[in-house]
Amino acid sequence: MTIKGVLFDFSGTLFRIEPARDWLRAALDARGSALPEAELAGYAERLAAAGALPGGSSPQRMPPGLAGLWKTRDESAERHRAAYTGLARQVELPDPGLYDALYERHMRPAAWRPYPDAAEVLRTLRERGVGIAVVSNIGWDPRPVFRAHGLDTWVDGYALSYEHGLQKPDVRLFRMACDALGTAPGDVLMVGDDKVADGGAANLGCAVHFVDHLPVAERPAGLRPVLGLIE
């Protein structure tokens, strides 16, 4: 099969969110406050366990009142914010203003790091004449993250769940991305880290390749095998 276009997931595939401790420290800085390191570490651990950091760990326990919201959190900006600030509020923080500050922090480009081989892989695909689109379940616009890290140069289009009220694995979101590239699904490869959400592209006829959702330092070359799949 000749691949003419590649769709990439955002979080856990091309980029990874900062660790929970750095996330909390940055939100505290934005509020003009600080915590002793031991306290900060404890709060960060509890927030991570609650699943309050988008792009981080899944909730260890889902509060019954948030279960329905969680399932459709990526369908709108409002639902996304409500779901994650709701999870954060399961942890009693010393400053009530931190819940919104934490949510705002995770949308900043500085909170995200591209995987070490992301730029190389995107650039090489472009040099080979392959179209590139980003398909993400997300509640906000990641384009500024791509621009800040210099990866936007190689992206031809974006299909973002909150902009369309659809979530992966809904095939309609993948179809939008294929249409943006002007490429038939059978000539497209989807690359992601979630076998359920990203695997939905197979139902449209796309080939699918999975990468491991790992910290940046632990996955220095996880995207490079994609190049071997492109004829």
Side-chain angles (χ1 to χ4, degrees):
M1 178 177 65
T2 300
I3 298 296
K4 299 178 181 177
V6 180
L7 312 181
F8 286 95
D9 174 52
F10 166 58
S11 173
T13 299
L14 291 174
F15 286 85
R16 174 75 186 221
I17 191 66
E18 64 190 342
R21 190 180 301 193
D22 295 343
W23 172 56
L24 177 56
R25 183 181 289 109
L28 286 164
D29 289 344
R31 298 282 296 167
S33 59
L35 288 171
E37 194 62 29
E39 287 186 35
L40 185 145
Y43 282 120
E45 183 176 345
R46 291 195 290 278
L47 286 164
L53 174 58
S57 304
S58 297
Q60 292 184 3
R61 184 189 70 83
M62 179 57 63
L66 292 177
L69 182 63
W70 177 256
K71 290 180 181 179
T72 58
R73 64 192 181 279
D74 296 312
E75 291 183 0
S76 74
E78 295 76 17
R79 295 185 71 80
H80 193 270
R81 179 184 284 269
Y84 282 103
T85 56
L87 288 171
R89 286 188 172 91
Q90 304 307 302
V91 179
E92 187 174 351
L93 297 176
D95 174 4
L98 276 172
Y99 300 109
D100 284 325
L102 285 167
Y103 188 83
E104 293 297 327
R105 167 64 188 180
H106 102 275
M107 295 187 288
R108 295 188 178 278
W112 294 87
R113 289 181 60 194
Y115 282 94
D117 56 345
E120 171 197 347
V121 169
L122 295 181
R123 181 180 64 252
T124 303
L125 290 173
R126 172 57 59 82
E127 290 171 351
R128 295 182 184 180
V130 176
I132 297 168
V134 173
V135 187
S136 178
N137 281 352
I138 196 167
W140 51 278
D141 187 0
R143 293 175 183 90
V145 177
F146 281 82
R147 288 195 294 269
H149 293 279
L151 271 62
D152 64 309
T153 304
W154 303 296
V155 178
D156 300 298
Y158 296 81
L160 308 176
S161 62
Y162 84 103
E163 292 185 336
H164 303 286
L166 301 169
Q167 294 184 168
K168 296 181 294 185
D170 193 316
V171 296
R172 290 175 292 176
L173 203 60
F174 300 109
R175 186 179 297 279
M176 289 175 186
C178 292
D179 289 346
L181 297 180
T183 305
D187 296 326
V188 169
L189 172 68
M190 173 69 207
V191 181
D193 66 298
D194 188 316
K195 292 187 177 181
V196 174
D198 299 314
N203 295 325
L204 188 62
C206 300
V208 180
H209 176 76
F210 296 108
V211 295
D212 294 323
H213 187 118
L214 293 171
V216 167
E218 296 178 24
R219 211 193 77 192
L223 289 167
R224 287 181 187 158
V226 171
L227 299 177
L229 302 174
I230 309 300
E231 295 182 1

